[in-house]
Amino acid sequence: MEGRFIVSGRDETRALAENFLNDLHGNEFISLTGNLGAGKTFFVKILGEIAGLKGVSSPTFAILNYYEGGKINLYHYDFYRIKKAEELYDIGFYENLDDDSAVKIAEWADLFPEAIPSQHISVSINLLDNNDREYTFKHIR
Amino acid sequence: MIVLGIESSCDETSVAVIRDGVLASNLISSQDFHKLYGGVVPELSSRAHLERVLPLVKKALADNNLSVNDLDLIAATAGPGLIGALLVGFIFGKTLARTSGIPFVPVNHIEGHIFSGFLMDTKPDFPFLCLVVSGGHTMLILVESFTSMKILGTTIDDAAGEAFDKVAKMLNLPYPGGPSVQKAAMAGNPGAIDFPIARLSNEFDFSFSGVKTSVLRYIQKLESPPDQEMINNIAASFTASVTGALLNNVRKAIKKYKINTITLTGGVAANSHLREGFIRLGEKYGKKVVIPDFQFCGDNAAMIAFRGLSLHEAGEKFDPAYEPFPSFFSKYITG
């Protein structure tokens, strides 16, 4: 799925997430960007709900959460608290990149662009003045 | 009985010794390691844990005139946390126990927090309610015994401490966010702005993502960047909203369950608004209130050593092949 979409509220976000999820093979790397409060974790939570992954919550503190047992397996990263690129080795980031059995989503991926696989899906979320969200999906090759 | 506790689930490396039921040492890297070695603040990494764990163990033993041979039990955090970080303290503790021929107890970090009230002179009485609030966790737990607990509610998105950190960032307040938001909140009017908290289908769950976005929205809509008075009012109103949601769930649980004590633990327990509200709640409903000292509220090994000891005394045994777990897992806690 590619393009720009404006959604309002939970139901429309869910419909968008459903389309997005249907297009995934289950092994992609997704860079998820947007300002504080844009709704990055919310989007992953909705994806998780649709995929049957329970209890998806913010990985900011834990840096990495792993979920399995649904339609997809999911590594959910958050680079927000990472200060140096070399810390990514320590959290097992590069080991998990090779895991073809799971989708990898990294919030704040733009903080360490050099760490992101050259082939990935970019999802950016922008909170608009009227509380709608603008989603932009791009396949980067 | 001499117990060595090791904690390395996240940023802090910590080592503690409990001797005959009394806490003898509780060394925490952000304070004690820097005193030992000075210099740079180590970044988040398993290498940092690796550099700190041995010196801290040596210091904890030396401070108490103990050698490794004097230890009777070793407890280490097994999860949840970052696997690379967990592995350092866990493998260190497990190996030391194995080579010393003494029992090793893997400890769930959250269970450590839950029983941290027992490190105080005034201890919780079973059954009790525990509110764990930190940067990474927000949980309300009904504690029936050392081996039987029930999660009543948890955050469905952000942890309370994370919300404080992120709102601090929005207000350009210094890191760590908790203390700086509290300082601003002290000078502000908690009734100035209404930041609503979501109502959830499980009456004991929490959600702090919405209130974070409300604060962001409010700041964005201001015509000019907020002055100090406005920052204080936002901080106070936000704090009132978050502590209100936390305390409201505790109140509902006090009414619903027969309990003797309420305890508040985790890093956010340092917040004075939350502490005061929590104490008032206990007074109102005639419950004993236990809020551990701050050194036992943040991540620390004293709580891990105590939890390890309580499991050992309950007769629990652990397979030597026991592995650490990055995600939440506990055979003593039901959902």
Side-chain angles (χ1 to χ4, degrees), chain B:
Chain B
M1 177 69 119
I2 299 173
V3 189
L4 180 74
I6 305 172
E7 153 70 29
S8 71
S9 65
C10 195
D11 302 359
E12 298 280 15
T13 321
S14 178
V15 172
V17 173
I18 291 180
R19 190 174 197 162
D20 300 325
V22 179
L23 181 68
S25 282
N26 185 31
L27 306 177
I28 300 173
S29 58
S30 58
Q31 297 137 39
D32 299 284
F33 188 81
H34 296 297
K35 269 184 233 149
L36 275 180
Y37 293 91
V40 279
V41 179
E43 68 270 26
L44 165 100
S45 74
S46 36
R47 203 186 58 227
H49 286 295
L50 207 52
E51 284 167 5
R52 296 181 299 212
V53 69
L54 185 59
L56 287 175
V57 168
K58 281 184 173 166
K59 179 167 165 48
L61 294 177
D63 286 354
N64 295 289
N65 295 315
L66 295 170
S67 81
V68 171
N69 298 328
D70 298 319
L71 297 174
D72 299 300
L73 184 73
I74 297 178
T77 307
L82 275 168
I83 190 67
L86 282 168
L87 275 167
V88 175
F90 185 87
I91 298 293
F92 185 93
K94 192 160 108 166
T95 310
L96 192 58
R98 199 77 179 277
T99 53
S100 312
I102 58 172
F104 174 73
V105 183
V107 170
N108 176 306
H109 180 83
I110 303 293
E111 291 174 17
H113 278 302
I114 291 171
F115 296 106
S116 58
F118 286 88
L119 294 163
M120 303 296 291
D121 291 337
T122 306
K123 300 179 195 314
D125 298 320
F126 292 110
F128 66 90
L129 271 180
C130 179
L131 179 65
V132 182
V133 267
S134 69
H137 310 285
T138 308
M139 279 186 177
L140 183 60
I141 295 148
L142 178 65
V143 189
E144 280 147 356
S145 72
F146 280 121
T147 49
S148 172
M149 290 152 265
K150 184 174 190 283
I151 297 175
L152 302 180
T154 180
T155 180
I156 64 158
D157 40 52
D158 298 3
E162 176 184 344
F164 273 97
D165 274 337
K166 289 190 170 167
V167 163
K169 182 127 186 167
M170 291 173 192
L171 293 171
N172 283 320
L173 296 171
Y175 185 88
S180 53
V181 169
Q182 176 175 321
K183 196 176 160 209
M186 294 277 198
N189 171 10
I193 311 151
D194 182 30
F195 293 125
I197 288 276
R199 285 192 159 271
L200 302 168
S201 50
N202 171 2
E203 61 171 335
F204 296 119
D205 274 348
F206 306 94
S207 167
F208 298 113
S209 174
V211 68
K212 176 187 75 184
T213 307
S214 311
V215 172
L216 178 71
R217 268 268 163 272
Y218 190 87
I219 297 169
Q220 282 174 340
K221 282 183 180 162
L222 295 172
E223 280 169 7
S224 52
D227 59 13
Q228 193 57 51
E229 189 188 346
M230 179 57 85
I231 288 173
N232 296 344
N233 283 343
I234 293 172
S237 302
F238 163 76
T239 302
S241 176
V242 171
T243 55
L246 292 168
L247 295 173
N248 199 29
N249 286 11
V250 176
R251 180 183 301 111
K252 283 186 283 186
I254 290 175
K255 287 181 177 171
K256 185 162 176 177
Y257 297 98
K258 280 199 172 141
I259 49 110
N260 295 313
T261 303
I262 56 173
T263 73
L264 172 66
T265 183
V268 182
N271 182 282
S272 60
H273 296 92
L274 182 58
R275 284 178 100 92
E276 286 160 16
F278 200 83
I279 292 166
R280 276 200 302 273
L281 211 52
E283 284 169 354
K284 183 173 173 194
Y285 291 96
K287 306 295 177 194
K288 187 174 182 180
V289 177
V290 178
I291 305 178
D293 288 349
F294 188 63
Q295 62 158 326
F296 308 132
C297 281
D299 290 350
N300 68 90
M303 68 180 193
I304 302 304
F306 179 82
R307 178 55 180 155
L309 179 61
S310 73
L311 285 171
H312 181 74
E313 286 178 341
E316 294 292 297
K317 299 269 187 290
F318 299 90
D319 190 325
Y322 199 101
E323 300 265 1
F325 45 88
S327 299
F328 186 85
F329 163 78
S330 170
K331 67 181 260 206
Y332 311 108
I333 305 182
T334 57

Side-chain angles (χ1 to χ4, degrees), chain A residues 36-37 45 56-58 60-63 66 78 80-81 84 86-87 90-91 127-131 133, chain B residues 10-11 43-47 82 84 135-136 156-158 162 166 169-170 212-213 216-217 221 327:
Chain A
L36 218 53
K45 193 173 174 63
V56 173
S57 59
S58 172
T60 296
F61 185 81
I63 298 175
Y66 178 69
D78 191 334
Y80 184 79
R81 292 202 317 129
K84 286 182 179 174
E86 60 199 38
E87 292 173 11
D90 266 317
I91 63 164
L127 176 58
L128 304 175
D129 283 342
N130 59 357
N131 269 338
R133 259 83 176 180
Chain B
C10 195
D11 302 359
E43 68 270 26
L44 165 100
S45 74
S46 36
R47 203 186 58 227
L82 275 168
I156 64 158
D157 40 52
D158 298 3
E162 176 184 344
K166 289 190 170 167
K169 182 127 186 167
M170 291 173 192
K212 176 187 75 184
T213 307
L216 178 71
R217 268 268 163 272
K221 282 183 180 162
S327 299

